[in-house]
Amino acid sequence: MLKTAVTEMLGIEHPIVQGGMMHVGRAELASAVSNAGGLGILTALTQPTPEDLTKEIARCREMTDKPFGVNITLLPTINPVPYDEYAQAAIEGGIKVIETAGRSPEQFMPAFKAAGIKVIHKCTSVRHALKAEKIGCDMVSIDGFECAGHPGEDDIPGLVLIPCAANVLKIPMIASGGFGDGRGLAAALALGADGINMGTRFVATKEAPVHENVKQRMVEASELDTALIFRTLRNTARVFKNSIADKVVEIEAQPGQTDFKDLQPLVAGVKGREVLDKGDLEYGIWTAGMVVGLIKDIPTCEELLKTIVADAQEIIAARLAGMVG
């Protein structure tokens, strides 16, 4: 076992957290990760309504008696999202760990604290991590440039970002972006983190509620198979490189200011969900991190976590220890 501030604070066996992913963070995956000794995460906004989140929490609890959390991503949306109601559903559902992302969760902190909830805020910069610490977050998940989804606009990779954050933070830190094996876990701990967050790697597991075509394409992919879109809009997103992503990049490369209306039909979230559900890999965009280059199989979550932890322990206790003269 690897005992860290993450395992102690979250009450889990291994310092490995499943990232909150739209359309993927459902009870099947979250319960499998938790049963394997990590922390599974349900994604609140994957559920159409707060009432549906309540049902999903209950469904997940039927599938595991281990701790699991809920992700609430706070982003500007075309249609208003009842964030307060989603937060209340998590509180009333007895959730004790909430991962927030996007804008500051400060307005929700009093209610979370009153309910005894541990709050992990996902950040893409040291300055945002320090703000999260200041408003009372219990832990931060620091997201390097390698990550899937939104890496921020600073373009700082984890090898630099993680130790920069470790130098100044007083609260525990989870390393996120580019992690998928035991080498990554050992490296994260060496860089000053207390555990790792994996999103993309968990998509390519047997329990992930994703079409087999998607999983198999990730196994075949290299580290070059992601693309950065929305750079001109200063809302950068890392997605799997396909014809749709190429088209978005092509439009953004045209002279003049990018109009999101030109991109909207290509990047609609409903199309991305169809990719994950039906397996037509060129129908829409879907998020994936550079770690796809390390994915070579589709194991169960239990097999994956067991291998990662065993490999990390061997690296720390044998390989690195053997280098100390």
Side-chain angles (χ1 to χ4, degrees):
M1 288 178 62
L2 292 170
K3 185 177 178 182
T4 74
V6 166
T7 60
E8 294 294 288
M9 184 179 288
L10 303 182
I12 56 179
E13 185 179 353
H14 306 309
I16 300 173
V17 175
Q18 169 228 321
M21 297 172 282
M22 276 299 287
H23 313 313
V24 182
R26 304 182 204 171
E28 291 83 358
L29 180 59
S31 63
V33 173
S34 291
N35 285 333
L39 184 78
I41 300 277
L42 297 175
T43 308
L45 301 189
T46 290
Q47 301 304 317
T49 68
E51 291 75 22
D52 289 309
L53 176 59
T54 297
K55 294 174 185 174
E56 192 73 356
I57 291 170
R59 195 165 75 92
C60 193
R61 192 155 279 129
E62 291 174 357
M63 300 165 77
T64 183
D65 59 359
K66 304 287 182 64
F68 62 91
V70 166
N71 164 281
I72 302 177
T73 298
L74 307 162
L75 291 173
T77 56
I78 296 171
N79 299 313
V81 174
Y83 288 117
D84 289 329
E85 293 175 33
Y86 277 106
Q88 193 59 36
I91 292 169
E92 292 176 1
I95 293 296
K96 293 304 176 187
V97 181
I98 285 183
E99 176 193 66
T100 56
R103 70 171 187 263
S104 171
E106 187 168 7
Q107 71 183 89
F108 301 99
M109 293 301 291
F112 290 158
K113 290 295 182 181
I117 291 171
K118 300 296 183 187
V119 180
I120 307 168
H121 188 57
K122 182 167 280 193
C123 314
T124 59
S125 70
V126 174
R127 62 188 180 278
H128 293 148
L130 286 170
K131 177 65 185 299
E133 180 179 73
K134 184 177 180 181
I135 66 171
C137 291
D138 301 279
M139 194 179 293
V140 294
S141 180
I142 200 84
D143 227 357
F145 184 56
E146 305 91 334
C147 73
H150 296 280
E153 305 304 317
D154 295 340
D155 298 358
I156 308 298
L159 191 62
V160 172
L161 185 60
I162 296 162
C164 281
N167 283 344
V168 295
L169 288 171
K170 298 180 179 65
I171 58 176
M173 175 180 61
I174 300 168
S176 182
F179 296 99
D181 60 18
R183 292 169 296 184
L185 175 54
L189 298 177
L191 290 170
D194 301 287
I196 58 173
N197 176 297
M198 301 194 310
T200 301
R201 186 61 187 95
F202 277 124
V203 176
T205 58
K206 286 189 167 35
E207 295 92 346
V210 168
H211 197 282
E212 286 301 312
N213 289 356
V214 176
K215 299 178 186 182
Q216 192 56 45
R217 183 67 188 91
M218 292 169 73
V219 170
E220 297 164 0
S222 80
E223 68 277 12
L224 302 175
D225 283 315
T226 69
L228 294 170
I229 62 174
F230 303 157
R231 300 233 82 182
T232 59
L233 304 174
R234 293 195 60 78
N235 187 29
T236 300
R238 188 180 297 282
V239 300
F240 199 91
K241 186 177 172 64
N242 65 3
S243 61
I244 306 295
D246 287 343
K247 181 64 176 174
V248 172
V249 172
E250 181 185 318
I251 293 171
E252 289 194 76
Q254 294 173 2
Q257 190 169 349
T258 303
D259 187 340
F260 181 69
K261 290 179 182 176
D262 295 333
L263 306 178
Q264 197 167 357
L266 297 169
V267 302
V270 66
K271 296 183 75 172
R273 183 164 194 160
E274 287 247 335
V275 172
L276 299 178
D277 288 346
K278 297 182 179 178
D280 180 351
L281 302 178
E282 302 299 325
Y283 184 71
I285 59 166
W286 44 290
T287 58
M290 297 172 82
V291 74
V292 290
L294 296 175
I295 296 173
K296 303 303 176 191
D297 60 357
I298 305 171
T300 65
C301 290
E302 183 177 4
E303 290 166 343
L304 178 62
L305 265 64
K306 191 176 291 184
T307 299
I308 289 175
V309 172
D311 288 351
Q313 288 174 324
E314 194 280 331
I315 290 167
I316 295 165
R319 186 168 189 269
L320 297 183
M323 293 178 181
V324 180

